[in-house]
């Protein structure tokens, strides 16, 4: 994935936590929105509102011309970015992705304000997006309702008399996006990509991942203490006495710690072979004594299934053991907290503020919550992305942009074909299979051919939480209804306005929503050199994901299949080990280093994608008679290409956000994505006249693709 962030509004700061196993895999096979995204703030319109303008594809204001590009290319390309872009109080950081995210959010907000104004001429989709936004923005109505919107669920939890009732209640909660106990969802069968199957996986944690519960450093202990205090505060706000809330929070922490101990780590979860265990449903149910899994499936609106992918088989016996060992009142308090934290953004301000204080301020270092218009605009995109996206595409994505992207994708795929032919380390046998897979990659650009039908989703202009719950249930039912059905290869996994891109190994497709095909990533005012460095590297990144340490395990049909010779696999792993060691040496913040194994897929994609974009640009420039030595803005074409790439990652991030990213995210922090790839590029030294042995041109470099 290009971008790790889900910049929308929900109870938790980062979005809903429903299962996606291939899912977890497909999400990592995307291009990360670097450390954080930033915006240039223009002068206002006179109404006191923020006005965001795009950062151009070639940004001379970020260059530090006093820096030697051969010593630190990031400092040269981005050295003035942080000074020019102080971190706004409502963001965890600033980079090119946040810049475009804010510009796009502003565009969406214009669409939504018009739709919310009403009128008989509104289409059915405009009614839904306008009323969803209107309800979300009506904080007076939200305050007036108090906790009444969540009382039905809280009352159901309170009414539980025994643990046998938990399965059905867990299904009901998960259907509306509330993360309890474990994850359940739909995925393509890893070993038969024509099938859509049910999948279960570990889940149920309130902290970002398992090691937050287990690490022993002072900062980790502090975060756990803050989390317990936060859980207690949320329970107290909902009516518990301070003493009971504190006791329940400590018991919830003990329960979640037991689940964390049984969970796989974020690095292990990247391996598709470790998260694929297809088994008869009876075999799975045997690991859940005392739980009526059929009742869970009925409650979550899943078809009953005969087989299931048990992605994390060690987790479920431990879950069952802990549920049996934990008193019912603690389990009820645990579910109550999950309801509150997921609902916080549409509850009175005291809940919203407390939830942000922990997940935003303490975990991410963000001083202030984003203004409500931003959060509600992106919440509509999360709930009704293709309805909103259809209008966005009509207004902000021209046909010329799509045509240019089609050309660039073709150029970069052709470059990868040549690259495969030229590899000295790969055998002819494996090269044939690699090119077969390459030629089967499907390209999705801008928006889907057919937009999603939301006609059965009820949206009301005065029911903020109800709208969110119904939207979650609608999406849940849509996804689970795919189980046992033919795969729809036209389906998109992202809404058109998203500032992101991704590769899906089971679909074997690369996807570039219209939202990222805007300045600075694609700037129609810039020349090919800059655009191939920017969006061309993104295209190459996603394409390379099909051949990174995860993607290489899937064939051209999307099946988990070993199509490599043993010797080629050995050579491949030796080359990826080079990247593991390179990135693992980078100190991100304090004493926390980049995890070279966790970030391997993204680092491989950055390195390979940049090389493919450069090869494609040189070929395009030759066809069009471009003089590579001619200067524009003071730099040659090849220099502008590398500057364009590095400026994808100009950033200014808070240390808390960087720490959280390094511990949980498969993408390296921005600075290291820029320099980490540049040092391995064979064309860079000539472009900038750097000598072998200089910091940016090491004697020994890493090369996979």
């Amino acid at each position: 994935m290009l971008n790790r962030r889900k910049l929308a509004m929900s109870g938790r700061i980062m979005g809903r936590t429903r299962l996606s196993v291939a899912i977890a895999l497909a999400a990592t096979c995307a291009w990360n929105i670097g450390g954080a995204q930033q915006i240039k703030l223009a002068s206002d319109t006179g109404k006191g509102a923020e006005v965001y303008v795009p950062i151009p594809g070639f940004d001379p204001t970020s260059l530090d011309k006093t820096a030697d590009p051969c010593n630190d290319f990031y400092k040269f390309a981005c050295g003035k970015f942080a000074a020019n872009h102080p971190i706004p109080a409502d963001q965890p950081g600033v980079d090119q992705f946040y810049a475009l995210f804010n510009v796009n959010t502003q565009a969406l907000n214009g669409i939504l304000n018009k739709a919310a104004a009403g009128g008989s001429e509104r289409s059915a989709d405009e009614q839904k997006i306008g009323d969803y936004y209107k309800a979300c923005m009506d904080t007076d109505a939200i305050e007036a309702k108090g906790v009444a919107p969540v009382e039905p669920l809280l009352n159901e939890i309170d009414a539980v008399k025994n643990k046998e009732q938990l399965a059905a209640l867990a299904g009901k909660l998960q259907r509306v996006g509330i993360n309890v106990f474990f994850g359940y969802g739909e995925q393509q069968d890893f070993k038969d990509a024509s099938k859509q199957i049910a999948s279960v996986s570990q889940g149920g944690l309130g902290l970002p991942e398992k090691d937050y519960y287990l690490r022993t450093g002072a900062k980790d202990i502090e975060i756990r203490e803050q989390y317990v205090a936060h859980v207690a505060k949320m329970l107290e706000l909902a009516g518990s006495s301070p003493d009971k809330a504190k006791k329940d929070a400590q018991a919830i922490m003990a329960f979640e710690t037991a689940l964390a101990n049984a969970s796989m780590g974020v690095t292990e979860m990247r391996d598709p072979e470790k998260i694929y265990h297809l088994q008869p449903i009876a075999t799975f149910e045997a690991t859940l004594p005392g739980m009526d899994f059929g009742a869970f499936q009925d409650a979550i609106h899943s078809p009953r299934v005969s087989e299931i992918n048990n992605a994390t088989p060690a987790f479920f016996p431990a879950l069952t053991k802990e549920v049996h060992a934990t008193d019912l009142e603690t389990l009820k308090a645990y579910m109550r907290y999950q309801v509150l934290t997921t609902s916080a953004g549409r509850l009175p301000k005291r809940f919203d503020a407390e939830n942000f204080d922990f997940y935003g301020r303490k975990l991410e270092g963000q001083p202030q919550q984003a203004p409500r218009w931003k959060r509600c605009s992106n919440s509509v995109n999360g709930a009704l992305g293709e309805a909103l996206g259809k209008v966005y595409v009509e207004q902000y994505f021209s046909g010329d942009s799509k045509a240019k992207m089609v050309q660039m994708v073709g150029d970069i795929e052709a470059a990868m074909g040549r690259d495969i032919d030229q590899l000295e380390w790969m055998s002819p046998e494996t090269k044939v299979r690699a090119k077969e897979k390459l030629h089967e990659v499907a390209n999705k650009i801008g928006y889907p051919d057919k937009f999603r039908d939301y006609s059965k989703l009820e949206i009301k202009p005065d029911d903020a939480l109800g709208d969110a719950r119904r939207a979650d249930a609608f999406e849940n039912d849509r996804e689970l209804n795919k189980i046992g059905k033919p795969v729809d290869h036209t389906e998109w996994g992202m809404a058109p306005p998203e500032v992101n891109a991704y590769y899906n190994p089971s679909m074997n497709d690369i996807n570039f929503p219209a939202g990222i095909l805007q300045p600075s990533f694609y700037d129609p005012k810039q020349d090919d050199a800059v655009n191939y460095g920017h969006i061309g590297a993104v295209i190459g990144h996603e394409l390379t994901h099909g051949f990174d340490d995860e993607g290489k395990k899937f064939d051209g049909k999307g099946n988990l299949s070993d199509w490599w010779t043993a010797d080629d696999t050995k050579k491949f792993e030796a080359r990826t080990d080079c990247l593991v060691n390179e990135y693992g040496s980078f100190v991100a913040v304090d004493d926390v280093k980049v995890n070279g194994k966790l970030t391997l897929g993204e680092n491989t994609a950055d390195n390979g994608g940049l090389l493919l974009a450069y090869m494609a640009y040189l070929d395009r420039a030759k066809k069009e008679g471009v003089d590579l030595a001619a200067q524009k803005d003071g730099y040659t074409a090849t220099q502008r290409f590398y500057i364009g790439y590095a400026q994808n990652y100009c950033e200014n991030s808070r240390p808390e956000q960087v720490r959280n990213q390094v511990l949980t995210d498969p993408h390296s922090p921005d600075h290291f994505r820029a320099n980490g790839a540049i040092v391995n590029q064979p064309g860079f030294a000539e472009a900038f006249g750097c000598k072998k042995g200089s910091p940016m041109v090491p004697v020994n470099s890493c090369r996979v693709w």
Side-chain angles (χ1 to χ4, degrees), residues 8-40:
M9 172 183 174
S10 74
R12 292 186 193 275
I13 193 74
M14 299 303 289
R16 69 184 295 202
T17 52
R18 265 194 114 263
L19 169 77
S20 213
V21 167
I23 300 178
L25 177 61
T28 58
C29 293
W31 214 61
N32 158 271
I33 271 187
Q37 310 144 343
Q38 157 76 52
I39 303 89
K40 257 188 167 175

Side-chain angles (χ1 to χ4, degrees), residues 224-288:
R224 288 196 289 272
E225 290 172 347
Q226 291 170 335
Y227 176 60
V228 170
H230 157 68
V231 172
K233 183 65 174 178
M234 292 290 280
L235 295 173
E236 185 179 342
L237 289 173
S240 291
S241 68
D243 288 344
K244 179 170 172 49
K246 182 177 180 180
K247 179 181 177 182
D248 284 343
Q250 291 169 338
I252 289 168
M253 185 63 174
F255 176 70
E256 290 186 10
T257 300
L259 299 190
N261 270 304
S263 298
M264 290 172 61
V266 288
T267 302
E268 285 182 285
M269 290 291 287
R270 289 189 62 250
D271 187 341
E273 293 172 335
K274 291 183 178 180
I275 57 172
Y276 180 76
H277 309 277
L278 190 64
Q279 55 192 215
I281 191 66
T283 301
F284 171 67
E285 288 178 328
T287 68
L288 300 170

Side-chain angles (χ1 to χ4, degrees), residues 253-386:
M253 185 63 174
F255 176 70
E256 290 186 10
T257 300
L259 299 190
N261 270 304
S263 298
M264 290 172 61
V266 288
T267 302
E268 285 182 285
M269 290 291 287
R270 289 189 62 250
D271 187 341
E273 293 172 335
K274 291 183 178 180
I275 57 172
Y276 180 76
H277 309 277
L278 190 64
Q279 55 192 215
I281 191 66
T283 301
F284 171 67
E285 288 178 328
T287 68
L288 300 170
M291 176 180 176
D292 186 348
F293 193 69
F296 168 85
Q297 289 183 298
D298 293 343
I300 201 174
H301 285 207
S302 169
R304 295 285 184 106
V305 298
S306 60
E307 61 181 3
I308 195 166
N309 175 31
N310 184 356
T312 52
F315 176 79
F316 289 95
L319 170 65
T320 303
K321 178 182 177 182
E322 289 306 316
V323 168
H324 289 326
T326 303
D327 66 275
L328 184 60
E329 289 306 307
T330 294
L331 298 176
K332 289 162 71 169
Y334 162 78
M335 290 187 289
R336 194 178 301 118
Y337 167 72
Q338 291 292 340
V339 169
L340 294 170
T341 186
T342 307
S343 308
R346 291 169 180 81
L347 289 177
K349 186 177 180 179
R350 59 187 183 274
F351 290 94
D352 192 21
E354 170 58 35
N355 210 56
F356 170 77
D357 182 67
F358 177 71
Y359 286 107
R361 187 172 288 112
K362 291 184 171 68
L363 274 187
E364 294 281 317
Q366 184 176 323
Q368 295 178 12
Q369 194 166 24
R372 195 157 186 98
W373 71 265
K374 285 187 185 180
R375 294 191 289 141
C376 287
S377 295
N378 283 285
S379 182
V380 179
N381 189 43
L384 293 142
E386 292 194 13

Side-chain angles (χ1 to χ4, degrees), residues 684-701:
F684 174 77
E686 181 179 356
F688 283 90
C690 301
K691 294 181 180 179
K692 191 82 169 177
S694 62
M696 295 306 303
V697 188
V699 175
N700 297 311
S701 60

